[in-house]
Amino acid sequence: MDISLKRVDTLRGAYPHFRPEIRCCALERGRSISFTRYKVSPPRITYPMALDRQAVERALAGMLPYVNYLRSIQGPIAHPILEGYQTRGCRFSLESTLDRVPTALMYSDRVVLRVPQGVAPDAYEVQRTAWYALKQVVGQEAKSYLPPLVRQLASRCGVGYRSITVKDMYSRWGSCSCDKRLNFSIYLMLWPEEYIEGVILHELTHLSVMDHGPRFWQLFSRYLGQDARAFTMRMKAHELEIPQIF
């Protein structure tokens, strides 16, 4: 089905004093309005191109997932980035500023979040700024950290591949093409070490078995050294320690 994006913008929604980041996509052949949330990317609203903006906002005001999302960012943000937050090679700190909007100062080994006076550090607007600073940090760290680890694990498993690409993928942590090209998300760096290796081993298993049948799970378990299905369920239940702004 051909999809044409009419526009990508931001909706105020049911709470006009907030302007959360939401991707809005008009679909040429769309039939209904949908609201989808992601862990590491702004929510996405899709709607029929024939509907005008006001009609979309009226419909969204009655959608429970959308309303719950807006409510969740009115108060303190869960898992905020505060003083001392640490990635593999970068530390976050806070400082007060007379500026009206929060900003982030990026250095090689640290990030300074400048928080306007009178604004709570765990407020949505501050944590949104913190998140995009964190995204830059993990993007840089992923490109230096993941390829060597993939090579190491591939050697251990005795498998070969054509290429490794690390990029901004928000809908999946990794992928493997039929021509043995591996792709990994920069956001993989947000996971504990065991889950990073688990995702890599998952994709390395696909070099031998493309589907998720019994043979895949048997081989994946052998690479992991533990039951792969149980590991996957445990990973899905793990909550990332990142600002819950999406």
Side-chain angles (χ1 to χ4, degrees):
M1 180 175 68
D2 295 328
I3 296 178
S4 174
L5 301 183
K6 184 178 180 182
R7 65 172 181 260
V8 178
D9 54 16
T10 300
L11 292 181
R12 279 186 183 273
Y15 299 90
H17 56 292
F18 274 93
R19 189 178 287 277
E21 184 177 10
I22 300 176
R23 292 174 297 145
C24 304
C25 303
L27 305 183
E28 187 174 15
R29 301 184 184 181
R31 295 184 178 181
S32 61
I33 299 173
S34 67
F35 178 74
T36 307
R37 295 179 70 173
Y38 304 91
K39 286 186 177 182
V40 293
S41 182
R44 183 172 184 259
I45 295 169
T46 59
Y47 58 94
M49 188 176 289
L51 292 181
D52 60 26
R53 186 186 184 94
Q54 289 70 32
V56 174
E57 291 191 355
R58 286 195 299 270
L60 287 171
M63 292 178 62
L64 188 59
Y66 177 70
V67 173
N68 286 342
Y69 163 68
L70 291 178
R71 286 174 176 166
S72 73
I73 63 174
Q74 288 188 78
I77 297 298
H79 303 313
I81 293 176
L82 300 175
E83 182 78 31
Y85 184 96
Q86 185 80 40
T87 68
R88 276 176 173 75
C90 187
R91 185 178 185 277
F92 283 70
S93 62
L94 306 181
E95 69 175 32
S96 180
T97 178
L98 295 176
D99 294 341
R100 298 181 62 183
V101 296
T103 55
L105 302 179
M106 310 288 294
Y107 300 94
S108 60
D109 61 348
R110 62 192 175 99
V111 175
V112 179
L113 293 175
R114 308 189 72 211
V115 182
Q117 291 184 3
V119 177
D122 56 3
Y124 170 80
E125 56 266 38
V126 176
Q127 290 305 308
R128 176 180 169 182
T129 300
W131 163 253
Y132 281 103
L134 178 61
K135 178 178 175 179
Q136 289 187 52
V137 170
V138 298
Q140 295 170 357
E141 292 182 354
K143 291 176 181 179
S144 62
Y145 180 81
L146 291 179
L149 181 58
V150 173
R151 288 192 290 269
Q152 175 189 335
L153 293 175
S155 176
R156 190 182 80 187
C157 296
V159 296
Y161 52 85
R162 290 191 63 183
S163 64
I164 305 171
T165 302
V166 178
K167 56 186 178 180
D168 185 350
M169 296 195 301
Y170 62 85
S171 60
R172 60 179 65 186
W173 306 114
S175 66
C176 175
S177 67
C178 59
D179 61 351
K180 300 185 183 299
R181 298 182 187 275
L182 299 172
N183 299 287
F184 294 99
S185 171
I186 61 172
Y187 304 112
L188 198 54
M189 299 299 293
L190 300 171
W191 291 91
E193 183 70 25
E194 66 166 325
Y195 295 130
I196 295 176
E197 292 195 7
V199 169
I200 293 173
L201 291 171
H202 181 115
E203 302 309 331
L204 293 179
T205 306
H206 279 311
L207 293 170
S208 302
V209 185
M210 288 302 295
D211 61 28
H212 289 100
R215 184 166 164 257
F216 169 86
W217 291 105
Q218 182 180 21
L219 184 58
F220 185 19
S221 295
R222 180 156 68 84
Y223 287 169
L224 273 175
Q226 60 178 296
D227 182 80
R229 291 184 185 274
F231 173 86
T232 301
M233 292 299 293
R234 191 165 70 251
M235 182 174 177
K236 287 181 177 180
H238 181 82
E239 188 168 5
L240 294 177
E241 294 292 324
I242 58 175
Q244 302 296 297
I245 62 171
F246 302 134

